[in-house]
Amino acid sequence: MRYLLEPFGSPFMQRALAEALLLGAVAAVVSVFVVLRRLAFVSDVLTHTVFPGVVIGFVVAGTSGIVWGALVFAVLSAVLITVLAARSRVTEDASMAIVLTGFFAVGVVLVSRQTSFTSDLTAFLFGRILTVDRQQLVVTAVIGAAVLLLLALLGKELLFRAFDPAGAEARGYRVLALDLVLNLAVALVVVAAVRAVGTVLVIALLVVPAAAGRLLSDRLAGIMLIAVGTALLAGWLGLVASWQASVNHGLRLASGATVVLVLVVLYGAAAAIATVRKVRA
Amino acid sequence: MSEPTGPVLLRFDHASLAYGRVRVVEDVHGTVHGGEAVALIGPNGAGKSTLLRAVLGLVDVVSGGIEVLGSTPARARREVAYVPQVDTLDAQFPVSVGQVVLMGRYRDVGWLRRPGARDRAIADEALDAVGLAERKDDRFGTLSGGQRQRVLLARAIAQQPRLLLLDEPFNGVDAVSQQALLAALRRLQDDGAAVAVSTHDLALAHLACDEVCLLNKHQVAFGPTEATLTPELLRAAYGGQALELAGDSVIVAR
Amino acid sequence: MAAVVAAGVLAFAGCGAGGSGRAPGGNAELDVVATTPVVADFVRNVGGDRVHVVQILKPGVDPHDYEASPADIQAIADADLVVKSGVGLEAAWLDDTVSSAGYGGEVVDASRGVTVRHGNGTDEQKAGDPHIWHDPANARIMVGDIAAALAAKDPAGTAGYERNAAAYDAKLATLDAENKAEISTIPVAQRKLVTNHDAFGYYCARYGITFVGSIIPSFDTSAELSGNELSDLVAKIEQTGVRAVFSESSLPPKTAETVAAEAGVQVVEGEDSLYADGLGPAGSPGGTYLGAERHNTATIVKALGGRV
């Protein structure tokens, strides 16, 4: 047990843990909707479309500008994606892919004009969870609270739409507006995640927790609980692993990526349990 | 079916429907009173689903009009319930039977609030009306097709509607579920609601419906069941897809 | 679950806040964190037994772009002194890392007093070329800065530091002389250098070598040559008669190989790669500053037709 707690004696590890737990919990809740609505690809698109906003924010206003740039592009992307999904002439996949790569390329071009190009790029893509400061924690907490509030207030309507879009439409719900809300929630999680795990790794947080939950439970409440639990556990164990490896074994494991790796391992464990259950039944 | 009927709850006034520029159904004309059931009958692609969606206000009426509960479809929607075909839904979705039925209460609960005790009571009653109260906590997908269709009807009943629209609810449904569906619909009609159901099943139409609307992109006939389900009219509706047997019997292909 | 974790974290916030307060390693008086292998080497030579050095950047790692590990941050948090190479070499990551570690002490800039070579092109060039140590004269200034900083932090050890610094300074002077001698054996017309990135500006300036160009046209390792720039470089190589293209220990040699092939000249790579941004593995000949610089000079001189 000491092994699991000793990394968190220093303030920087405590902040990293707080960030991982906050982010993980919020992303896990959103991931339930992402998985139920089969929005993994759309979420991936959103992680790429928020990226140029990150770069522009950084270019204009330095590190503190990142969140604002990301926020603007998050809203823009959510609207664009929602509209595209509703109206696409080309198949939905293809038009999404075009948007994904186009936006991402814009971001890379912009960041390559910076002199500290590779450092910035890897920081935005993979996060720097160990240098998260108090301000970033506040940003994550505020965005996280906003997302959770949004989902709590509109949860039942989002559930209805996810289960029966025709029925929801017949009932008078504007399906497009509900879809926009969910896409916005995903985009906001990406914004909160930029400094911690980066835009490339956040997709794992937006999909894997609920996927694991789905393997183990048939009920919405169960899936939600397992998703959040898995994300919290991955955050904690991932940071422990990368700290222990670095401090006691001289092995470099990038912290953000290690959290994601642990998350995937936990998914594997869930899959194993699910298989055993099925075989026994 | 000669009981006194209620007020006109659904009126088609030479209504023609279109998706954008394309007209899909022409000249539907007829009325449905409270307590009555009308069957929408016609081959695939005839416009039955479109007509139902138009009653919900989701399809443009380009000429004539549709009056629902004395008002426009959009304004009347609160009291109109729609039961989709059960195979449009994902059987793997992690939601329980009880949760599905409760969804019928959401609109009345409103935004930002949670269903209360009264809503749950109404939902429980609705589930009971279709005979599935004991399956309330089971996952929706674990029920048979017919049972799932009954749950969707219960969801509609929980809405406490005055007009009920059903899209081919009897497709592939077992006999027991069929009986349960018919019984529940009967009860609703007894309470004064009107029902519009699209179906291929002529026998059921005879059994359960007061009126029939024969459609094939345009209205072929709209009238009392006995008078409308004649071989000539059926032939006219189904075109070459009707097969005549000895005497006046007609078999129609889907 | 979250409550348990939160409680655990809060419990540790209490006992962790005061810093770990551990004694310096072994008999050492000072815990010093040095960023680059070169700076670490200087600190070890000046500090001797009194100083325990933690080197952040391992051999072969690119200093311009680095993500600090938990051990790095922990080391900085526990350090008595942090020494950096300066002139923006660690700019991309050091400040964030130091503030995250909660280190409140001095970050010693070993480049203080060195005349920085500026470009006049991009912003980055205006900020200056950080590869100051390749000129032994600059190295001597850096060693002086380090000695002063160590003495200031640990006055009791001043005598030792000054003694060590003087001894090492003599070695640096010897290196300088040797470099001059060896380079003078290169025919004048061949004293032209093409490297992987623009890291040898000070070296070239000191020893009268013409810097023809570099594959990566910047002090930083991140930019890419455009098609035009590449063919311009190849043309320049052919025109000026440069005999070899040199790749570096911490960068992949692919582009250097391509340019060399295009221009029909030799590419110096693999074990012969120059140490541009760092040093070789500890214990290897290139593992110390003196060893690496000797290797660089020998390699350059041999490839350009001089005698070692």
Side-chain angles (χ1 to χ4, degrees):
Chain A
M1 192 55 182
R2 212 187 128 252
Y3 188 85
L4 296 179
L5 289 176
E6 71 172 315
F8 304 108
S10 336
F12 77 94
M13 286 301 287
Q14 288 159 14
R15 284 192 297 269
L17 182 65
E19 176 76 18
L21 295 181
L22 272 172
L23 191 62
V26 174
V29 171
V30 176
S31 79
V32 174
F33 291 94
V34 167
V35 166
L36 286 182
R37 288 272 324 275
R38 303 213 168 98
L39 287 179
F41 180 57
V42 168
S43 302
D44 195 31
V45 172
L46 282 167
T47 65
H48 287 77
T49 53
V50 169
F51 176 65
V54 169
V55 178
I56 292 174
F58 179 67
V59 166
V60 167
T63 321
S64 53
I66 289 178
V67 169
W68 297 107
L71 267 174
V72 168
F73 269 71
V75 172
L76 272 172
S77 317
V79 171
L80 180 62
I81 294 299
T82 310
V83 166
L84 262 185
R87 290 170 181 277
S88 202
R89 286 188 184 281
V90 188
T91 68
E92 195 171 296
D93 269 39
S95 55
M96 295 273 190
I98 292 167
V99 168
L100 180 164
T101 50
F103 271 62
F104 194 69
V106 165
V108 174
V109 164
L110 285 175
V111 81
S112 65
R113 294 174 53 83
Q114 294 293 105
T115 55
S116 50
F117 160 48
T118 50
S119 172
D120 296 336
L121 188 59
T122 56
F124 299 150
L125 294 180
F126 306 111
R128 290 267 191 272
I129 197 170
L130 296 180
T131 52
V132 155
D133 57 15
R134 201 158 287 169
Q135 195 192 41
Q136 174 57 29
L137 276 178
V138 169
V139 167
T140 303
V142 167
I143 294 181
V147 168
L148 290 181
L149 189 65
L150 201 60
L151 293 181
L153 291 178
L154 296 177
K156 64 183 195 296
E157 286 81 6
L158 289 170
L159 177 66
F160 192 162
R161 182 261 179 265
F163 174 60
D164 183 4
E169 190 190 26
R171 204 65 193 89
Y173 290 118
R174 271 190 238 286
V175 170
L176 216 58
L178 287 174
D179 289 354
L180 178 60
V181 165
L182 190 56
N183 289 337
L184 195 59
V186 171
L188 286 176
V189 170
V190 175
V191 173
V194 170
R195 299 288 294 283
V197 294
T199 60
V200 167
L201 295 178
V202 67
I203 187 66
L205 295 178
L206 283 168
V207 175
V208 179
R214 190 69 191 86
L215 283 175
L216 296 177
S217 172
D218 263 345
R219 330 202 135 264
L220 205 56
I223 297 176
M224 184 79 69
L225 256 145
I226 295 174
V228 173
T230 307
L232 292 179
L233 199 58
W236 184 3
L237 294 181
L239 286 176
V240 167
S242 91
W243 191 91
Q244 293 286 4
S246 168
V247 169
N248 291 333
H249 302 282
L251 193 61
R252 282 184 57 89
L253 299 176
S255 302
T258 309
V259 166
V260 168
L261 210 53
V262 170
L263 188 60
V264 172
V265 166
L266 289 176
Y267 175 84
I273 296 174
T275 313
V276 165
R277 273 199 200 161
K278 225 188 293 186
V279 165
R280 278 229 218 108
Chain B
M1 296 181 211
S2 51
E3 301 99 57
T5 55
V8 171
L9 295 186
L10 179 58
R11 183 197 304 281
F12 297 102
D13 189 7
H14 296 289
S16 294
L17 314 175
Y19 280 122
R21 299 270 205 94
V22 181
R23 284 187 171 230
V24 287
V25 180
E26 305 263 13
D27 199 29
V28 179
H29 190 82
T31 59
V32 185
H33 297 256
E36 286 185 335
V38 62
L40 304 180
I41 297 183
N44 283 342
K48 308 191 290 293
S49 294
T50 310
L51 190 59
L52 289 176
R53 285 169 56 86
V55 174
L56 288 166
L58 298 174
V59 175
D60 294 330
V61 178
V62 290
S63 77
I66 300 181
E67 188 187 273
V68 181
L69 303 175
S71 174
T72 63
R75 268 189 243 136
R77 203 187 274 153
R78 255 249 148 65
E79 300 183 279
V80 177
Y82 174 73
V83 182
Q85 286 197 58
V86 73
D87 46 19
T88 62
L89 299 176
D90 176 10
Q92 295 305 316
F93 206 91
V95 68
S96 72
V97 165
Q99 281 175 313
V100 174
V101 178
L102 198 55
M103 285 181 194
R105 296 299 309 153
Y106 284 177
R107 213 56 167 120
D108 287 322
V109 169
W111 299 96
L112 314 184
R113 290 206 305 264
R114 316 195 139 285
R118 182 171 164 270
D119 298 300
R120 288 178 202 284
I122 294 173
D124 287 342
E125 248 179 67
L127 190 56
D128 200 37
V130 300
L132 284 172
E134 76 280 4
R135 302 299 298 269
K136 179 173 161 196
D137 291 324
D138 294 344
R139 187 166 63 83
F140 181 74
T142 60
L143 272 57
S144 74
Q147 289 171 325
R148 279 184 259 149
Q149 191 70 66
R150 283 152 72 185
V151 171
L152 291 183
L153 177 57
R155 182 179 74 177
I157 293 173
Q159 227 180 283
Q160 301 178 315
R162 288 171 63 203
L163 173 62
L164 194 62
L165 310 174
L166 299 99
D167 200 343
E168 306 214 21
F170 302 110
N171 273 359
V173 161
D174 58 279
V176 171
S177 293
Q178 206 174 76
Q179 285 312 309
L181 286 170
L182 289 172
L185 286 174
R186 183 76 254 157
R187 261 222 288 271
L188 277 173
Q189 287 171 247
D190 289 342
D191 287 339
V195 172
V197 49
S198 77
T199 182
H200 287 293
D201 196 326
L202 301 183
L204 271 177
H206 269 291
L207 188 58
C209 298
D210 311 280
E211 309 246 299
V212 163
C213 170
L214 278 177
L215 277 180
N216 190 352
K217 300 200 178 31
H218 66 279
Q219 181 170 299
V220 172
F222 192 129
T225 314
E226 296 296 332
T228 318
L229 286 182
T230 63
E232 303 77 44
L233 286 173
L234 280 168
R235 240 176 277 132
Y238 278 81
Q241 298 170 327
L243 187 63
E244 231 180 293
L245 289 183
D248 286 326
S249 309
V250 181
I251 293 180
V252 295
R254 293 171 173 241
Chain C
M1 178 67 177
V4 170
V5 174
V9 168
L10 284 173
F12 269 83
C15 46
S20 65
R22 29 173 284 281
N27 302 329
E29 284 298 317
L30 280 185
D31 278 318
V32 176
V33 169
T35 53
T36 68
V38 169
V39 169
D41 192 22
F42 291 167
V43 175
R44 279 187 204 107
N45 276 286
V46 175
D49 287 337
R50 278 184 84 83
V51 167
H52 172 250
V53 179
V54 173
Q55 177 186 324
I56 302 260
L57 293 165
K58 303 296 185 285
V61 170
D62 187 342
H64 301 285
D65 160 23
Y66 182 70
E67 182 185 358
S69 73
D72 296 336
I73 304 180
Q74 203 79 62
I76 293 177
D78 298 336
D80 294 312
L81 211 58
V82 173
V83 183
K84 69 173 181 180
S85 185
V87 199
L89 185 66
E90 306 98 335
W93 55 273
L94 188 61
D95 290 335
D96 279 343
T97 307
V98 164
S99 82
S100 186
Y103 173 78
E106 187 197 349
V107 176
V108 177
D109 186 349
S111 69
R112 224 159 50 118
V114 170
T115 307
V116 176
R117 173 186 163 242
H118 291 277
N120 44 19
T122 65
D123 284 335
E124 171 233 353
Q125 290 178 334
K126 289 203 198 97
D129 176 359
H131 305 89
I132 54 182
W133 59 91
H134 289 300
D135 177 349
N138 289 340
R140 294 166 82 174
I141 297 174
M142 292 172 80
V143 167
D145 287 339
I146 290 170
L150 290 178
K153 193 73 186 173
D154 174 30
T158 308
Y161 299 142
E162 287 181 351
R163 205 178 26 236
N164 294 341
Y168 196 68
D169 185 76
K171 293 187 188 160
L172 291 175
T174 311
L175 174 70
D176 193 24
E178 285 175 3
N179 283 350
K180 276 211 186 87
E182 289 174 21
I183 288 170
S184 68
T185 69
I186 305 176
V188 175
Q190 312 291 17
R191 290 182 203 170
K192 300 184 177 103
L193 200 60
V194 173
T195 55
N196 211 333
H197 79 297
D198 188 0
F200 290 92
Y202 296 92
Y203 183 88
C204 290
R206 180 126 187 104
Y207 299 118
I209 300 176
T210 311
F211 175 65
V212 172
S214 60
I215 314 284
I216 300 173
S218 107
F219 303 146
D220 189 88
T221 47
S222 58
E224 268 177 40
L225 266 186
S226 70
N228 263 346
E229 289 167 339
L230 256 170
S231 37
D232 281 349
L233 182 60
V234 169
K236 254 202 250 171
I237 292 174
E238 289 168 342
Q239 270 166 21
T240 55
V242 164
R243 293 186 55 169
V245 171
F246 294 87
S247 70
E248 291 158 29
S249 62
S250 59
L251 289 177
K254 199 89 206 305
T255 324
E257 288 168 355
T258 311
V259 170
E262 284 267 324
V265 300
Q266 175 196 25
V267 60
V268 177
E269 57 180 345
E271 277 177 15
D272 293 334
S273 297
L274 300 180
Y275 296 104
D277 267 337
L279 301 177
S284 73
T288 63
Y289 171 77
L290 293 170
E293 292 296 322
R294 287 206 171 93
H295 165 94
N296 283 354
T297 302
T299 307
I300 290 173
V301 167
K302 237 192 310 202
L304 296 185
R307 290 185 324 273
V308 174

